[in-house]
């Protein structure tokens, strides 16, 4: 596999690739092996994916864990406008089953302020699980508003606005196999004109797709 760029057309909207497909996949395999080593023989962790951003990481991570695991999802939304978390978290979808006595592994795509996971951890702890651990693909510790330390981190990154591998801008780019920094033209145009879905958005439409 080419470890630098893919042929994905959406990559033309990136200023640069931060993490290539090969780099991400290798790290996910390492995390899966480490998670497996850290649980006791016979433990069957419940992987809880936080929708929607974590869906790609979760689907790769769970295949990298060579033991039985269970799967469930939570969906949250933060109030307010803009790309940043606003400070309040709202639960949109709860777990399907009780988790008392279960080993929970929360799976996130990115931790920014820490507000989402602080809220979710508190909520889940009240349900008396055997343990709660957190795995995040990306961590931005410089953005933290609340102290929160994940147990497993794929990559610690600077405060850059990144898309791909589950991470979106305005619901786009989740299907990019790499993680990269979006060209400013792709998000500035959105702010200026708020086009309808399907309309070309960017000044750089000839070179890119936004
Ligand atoms: C992102 C990410 C985390 C949260 C992290 O979700 O997936 O859930 O923000 O931010 P925080 O640490 O500041 O709380 P987002 O609200 O963008 O929704 P999405 O996963 O559906 O893209």
């Amino acid at each position: 596999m080419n470890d630098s760029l893919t042929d994905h057309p959406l990559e033309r909207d990136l200023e640069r690739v931060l993490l290539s497909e090969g780099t991400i996949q290798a790290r996910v395999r390492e995390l899966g092996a480490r998670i497996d080593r850290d649980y006791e023989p016979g433990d069957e962790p419940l992987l809880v994916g936080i929708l929607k951003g974590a869906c790609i990481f979760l689907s790769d991570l769970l295949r990298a864990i060579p033991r039985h695991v269970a799967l469930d999802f939570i969906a949250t939304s933060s109030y307010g406008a803009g790309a940043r978390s606003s400070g309040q978290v709202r639960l949109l979808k709860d777990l399907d089953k009780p988790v008392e006595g279960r080993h929970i592994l929360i799976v996130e795509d990115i931790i920014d302020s820490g507000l989402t996971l602080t809220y979710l951890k508190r909520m889940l702890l009240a349900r008396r699980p055997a343990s709660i651990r957190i795995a995040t693909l990306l961590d931005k510790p410089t953005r933290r508003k609340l102290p929160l330390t994940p147990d497993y981190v794929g990559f610690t990154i600077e405060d850059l606005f990144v898309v791909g591998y589950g991470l979106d801008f305005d619901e786009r780019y989740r299907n990019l196999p790499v993680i990269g920094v979006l060209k400013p033209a792709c998000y500035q145009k959105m702010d200026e004109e708020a086009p309808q879905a399907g309309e070309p958005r960017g000044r750089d439409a000839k070179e890119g797709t936004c």
Side-chain angles (χ1 to χ4, degrees):
M1 188 192 300
N2 180 351
D3 195 39
S4 55
L5 294 180
T6 67
D7 293 328
H8 204 293
L10 301 186
E11 244 181 64
R12 296 201 297 270
D13 294 352
L14 298 181
E15 196 170 77
R16 66 187 169 103
V17 172
L18 197 66
L19 299 164
S20 72
E21 191 173 9
T23 301
I24 297 170
Q25 295 299 334
R27 184 67 181 137
V28 171
R29 282 194 294 274
E30 281 176 9
L31 288 179
R34 221 185 99 201
I35 288 167
D36 181 54
R37 281 199 304 272
D38 286 356
Y39 283 100
E40 297 296 323
D43 285 351
E44 202 168 315
L46 173 68
L47 271 60
V48 173
I50 313 303
L51 297 171
K52 305 172 207 166
C55 63
I56 312 286
F57 174 45
L58 174 66
S59 64
D60 283 343
L61 182 66
L62 80 94
R63 286 178 289 179
I65 301 175
R67 67 163 66 211
H68 288 300
V69 297
L71 189 57
D72 208 338
F73 296 93
I74 281 177
T76 59
S77 152
S78 47
Y79 287 109
R84 306 287 193 190
S85 292
S86 62
Q88 271 182 296
V89 181
R90 190 163 57 114
L91 190 66
L92 301 179
K93 184 224 170 287
D94 203 343
L95 296 172
D96 290 341
K97 291 185 181 169
V99 291
E100 185 166 354
R102 297 298 307 258
H103 291 285
I104 295 176
L105 178 63
I106 297 175
V107 181
E108 259 292 20
D109 53 343
I110 188 163
I111 304 177
D112 192 292
S113 68
L115 293 166
T116 304
L117 281 188
T118 299
Y119 167 87
L120 288 178
K121 209 174 162 187
R122 191 177 303 142
M123 182 188 93
L124 293 174
L125 272 172
R127 300 178 189 184
R128 303 162 60 89
S131 67
I132 298 185
R133 291 181 197 168
I134 295 171
T136 187
L137 181 69
L138 303 178
D139 191 13
K140 280 188 189 176
T142 58
R143 293 269 313 155
R144 223 50 118 248
K145 288 184 182 158
L146 295 174
L148 184 96
T149 306
D151 301 272
Y152 306 98
V153 176
F155 306 92
T156 300
I157 62 167
E158 302 165 51
D159 185 16
L160 297 166
F161 186 70
V162 290
V163 296
Y165 198 71
L167 292 127
D168 75 310
F169 171 65
D170 193 34
E171 295 300 330
R172 287 178 154 189
Y173 304 104
R174 295 194 198 273
N175 53 331
L176 256 179
V178 302
I179 292 175
V181 181
L182 200 57
K183 284 179 182 165
C186 291
Y187 53 83
Q188 283 165 359
K189 187 69 177 176
M190 269 293 295
D191 293 343
E192 288 160 16
E193 290 185 9
Q196 300 301 304
E199 283 183 10
R201 303 187 190 202
R203 298 180 192 87
D204 297 340
K206 282 191 187 124
E207 298 94 49
T209 72
C210 60

